[in-house]
Amino acid sequence: MSSRTISSNKQASQSTDFDAVVVGAGFSGLYMLHRLREAGLSVRVYEAGDDIGGHVVLESLSRSTLQHRKHLL
């Protein structure tokens, strides 16, 4: 299984040294990325899926947006 890498900044994407590593780019992982970057840390995020967001999906349904977990619909 391959994983995608999401770097928190340009400098971090060119380096292999990070202050923190976040596994999973779902809601919690992205929130942790945000908080760690606010604290001034260099962070690398690894995601095994094809896209970020974890199990949360946004869908447009005739002029409104629905947010739900992928496995519910």
Side-chain angles (χ1 to χ4, degrees):
M1 174 184 282
S2 64
S3 65
R4 285 183 44 193
T5 304
I6 303 164
S7 296
S8 65
N9 58 43
K10 187 175 181 179
Q11 181 181 10
S13 67
Q14 297 173 355
S15 173
T16 56
D17 294 327
F18 305 98
D19 297 316
V21 173
V22 176
V23 178
F27 183 81
S28 297
L30 294 176
Y31 177 72
M32 185 54 59
L33 169 66
H34 169 73
R35 293 298 305 261
L36 292 169
R37 287 182 67 195
E38 276 189 334
L41 300 176
S42 64
V43 183
R44 169 92 22 126
V45 176
Y46 290 96
E47 171 57 48
D50 294 334
D51 204 0
I52 63 171
H55 294 284
V56 176
V57 178
L58 292 177
E59 288 188 39
S60 295
L61 302 172
S62 64
R63 297 182 289 173
S64 59
T65 301
L66 172 67
Q67 178 178 334
H68 62 86
R69 294 183 62 91
K70 286 180 186 176
H71 66 278
L72 292 179
L73 295 179

